[in-house]
Amino acid sequence: MNLSSTNGVILTVAELNNRAKSLLESCFPLLWVAGEISNFKRYDSGHCYFSLKDSKAQVRCVMFRNRAALIDFQPREGMQVEARALVSLYEARGDFQLTIEALRPAGLGALFAAYEKLKQKLELEGLFAPERKKPLPAFPRAVGIVTSPAAAALADVIAALQRRMPSLPIILYPTPVQGLDAAAQIASAIQKANQRQEVDVLIVCRGGGSLEDLWSFNEEVVARAIAACTIPLVSGIGHETDFSIADFVADVRAATPTAAAELVSPNSEEWLARLDRQRSRLHRAVERQLQSKMQGLDAAARRLQHPGARLAQQHAYILELSRRLHLAPNRALEKNRYRLTQSALRLNHLKPSTIRQQDRLASLKQRLASALPRTLLQRQQCLSMLAARLEPWNPQAVLARGYALVSRPDGQLVRLGANLKHGDALSLQFADSAVDVRVNKDLGLQGELGL
């Protein structure tokens, strides 16, 4: 038997769970759910799994690591909480579950709403503005502490102040930091410290606790007392993750009461070490100056001489100059003589030898006299040989054998009779003379020319 939907489409289990998940997530917005924690487990991955239940029902919940890291308290079995959650379905098992985005102890919703309302109001008034913050003094003459004498935070602050600056005076303005009238008494203690002006900086502090424990510092009366205080004020309330209204109004917010003490007090060890370094640098600078001045004094002392010694040195110097003056002419004369001798030697070496040049000239004349007839004879023999070689090519010899040169009046030779026509003037060059003729008929069939 097949099970199918009304439209005939058969779904797989995965498809069914996916559709159910999509339907749940689209129908339910992000909402708050109140209940009791049951079966709470935090795994090594950081994810938390538990159930929320009341007297009639329960629902599975999962809180992933990135959201679980934001919880500022430790969830416990049986704790009543309020969870901001998305309704969903775990498809692998088909489990209906809530994906938790935020978790807080039950009953804190009204406190959070009041906290946000007051914070927004004071922020609009400018009580949180950075420009109204006062700087902390670098070396306060006295430190005031507004807290309970029984608070553990007081011991931590005093221990930190004594460790960092034992000589710094501490004035306590005692007040309860928790309870019904705590906010008014905290504001009164701040006002008392501001009126007395006994200290240069003020610490308002207490240890960690729940939102209800720290609520006195979220009251408007405390915030306005801090804002009206003319003494620079540091808040050190709760742990590092705790933020109160007083933290936003204070001139400086410290993560813990101990951190507040460290902010307002200079570290005596660091300053003593800095002073030691400055003293050492000053001592070295003075020593260097003294050594420099002593060296200058020694140099001046070496230059400073007795007048008699100075005169004796000048007298000896004058005697030496006189001796050198007497010796100078002789030395100059000897030097010039030496230079003259060297120049004469170089001149003799460079002087030409006329006898040797005359002998060379006579030899060249003799060689020229013997070479000229020989060269002339060689040239004549060469010329005769060239003339004999050119003789067969002489046109005059050809004409002597009975040939003649036929040319036009302009000197152009006539090589073919076919180029002549009747009446052309010609010149016939024989071996002994030239004769002018004229063509009286054209070239015949036999190629005979009639002149």
Side-chain angles (χ1 to χ4, degrees), residues 93-320:
R93 290 198 299 266
D95 289 342
F96 174 76
Q97 67 177 17
L98 300 180
T99 301
I100 307 300
E101 297 292 319
L103 196 66
R104 67 190 184 194
L108 297 184
L111 292 179
F112 275 116
Y115 172 88
E116 291 295 334
K117 182 178 180 180
L118 179 61
K119 179 182 175 184
Q120 185 176 8
K121 174 184 176 182
L122 298 180
E123 186 173 9
L124 290 175
E125 293 182 16
L127 269 64
F128 303 164
E131 55 268 19
R132 61 163 298 277
K133 306 289 185 180
K134 297 179 286 295
L136 301 182
F139 296 95
R141 292 170 298 175
V143 175
I145 304 174
V146 176
T147 191
S148 170
L154 176 62
D156 295 338
V157 171
I158 292 175
L161 292 175
Q162 290 180 347
R163 170 174 51 82
R164 292 174 61 83
M165 185 63 69
S167 61
L168 185 62
I170 301 172
I171 298 176
L172 176 64
Y173 300 94
T175 177
V177 292
Q178 183 176 344
L180 294 178
D181 298 329
Q185 297 187 55
I186 293 171
S188 177
I190 295 173
Q191 293 168 358
K192 183 185 298 183
N194 190 42
Q195 291 170 359
R196 292 181 179 179
Q197 293 290 314
E198 301 169 314
V199 296
D200 294 332
V201 64
L202 195 63
I203 298 176
V204 178
C205 64
R206 71 147 288 161
S210 64
L211 182 62
E212 296 95 332
D213 296 337
L214 302 177
W215 191 253
S216 299
F217 297 93
N218 291 319
E219 295 284 353
E220 185 173 359
V221 63
V222 175
R224 297 201 177 276
I226 294 175
C229 183
T230 60
I231 302 173
L233 188 146
V234 178
S235 64
I237 301 165
H239 300 299
E240 186 172 354
T241 57
D242 297 325
F243 277 87
S244 63
I245 299 294
D247 291 325
F248 294 106
V249 185
D251 296 306
V252 178
R253 184 252 177 188
T256 61
T258 302
E262 293 176 351
L263 284 174
V264 303
S265 61
N267 191 331
S268 60
E269 294 182 358
E270 292 181 359
W271 280 102
L272 289 174
R274 184 180 297 182
L275 288 175
D276 287 339
R277 291 194 295 270
Q278 295 292 341
R279 183 175 60 238
S280 298
R281 291 176 60 186
L282 181 61
H283 180 69
R284 290 193 297 269
V286 171
E287 284 187 346
R288 285 195 295 268
Q289 287 290 332
L290 287 176
Q291 291 175 359
S292 176
K293 298 301 181 183
M294 291 173 63
Q295 290 177 356
L297 183 61
D298 292 341
R302 287 193 297 268
R303 290 194 300 269
L304 182 63
Q305 295 181 346
H306 192 276
R310 183 69 174 173
L311 289 174
Q313 287 182 356
Q314 295 294 331
H315 181 68
Y317 182 64
I318 291 173
L319 291 177
E320 175 63 18

Side-chain angles (χ1 to χ4, degrees), residues 15-122:
E15 291 171 341
L16 175 64
N17 286 353
N18 181 264
R19 290 192 181 187
K21 177 182 178 181
S22 300
L23 183 62
L24 287 171
E25 292 179 352
S26 62
C27 291
F28 289 91
L30 192 66
L31 46 80
W32 285 94
V33 179
E36 177 185 330
I37 292 179
S38 175
N39 298 323
F40 182 87
K41 292 182 181 180
R42 186 191 296 268
Y43 290 89
D44 294 338
S45 61
H47 305 322
C48 299
Y49 295 90
F50 56 94
S51 296
L52 282 180
K53 67 178 183 178
D54 56 20
S55 59
K56 297 181 180 180
Q58 67 177 3
V59 61
R60 292 180 182 271
C61 301
V62 57
M63 192 172 194
F64 295 111
R65 176 178 55 193
N66 58 337
R67 297 296 181 180
L70 302 177
I71 301 177
D72 58 357
F73 67 96
Q74 178 59 45
R76 299 186 304 274
E77 192 75 17
M79 178 182 288
Q80 294 290 331
V81 295
E82 295 172 352
R84 187 171 175 82
L86 285 170
V87 178
S88 183
L89 184 133
Y90 182 48
E91 295 182 53
R93 290 198 299 266
D95 289 342
F96 174 76
Q97 67 177 17
L98 300 180
T99 301
I100 307 300
E101 297 292 319
L103 196 66
R104 67 190 184 194
L108 297 184
L111 292 179
F112 275 116
Y115 172 88
E116 291 295 334
K117 182 178 180 180
L118 179 61
K119 179 182 175 184
Q120 185 176 8
K121 174 184 176 182
L122 298 180

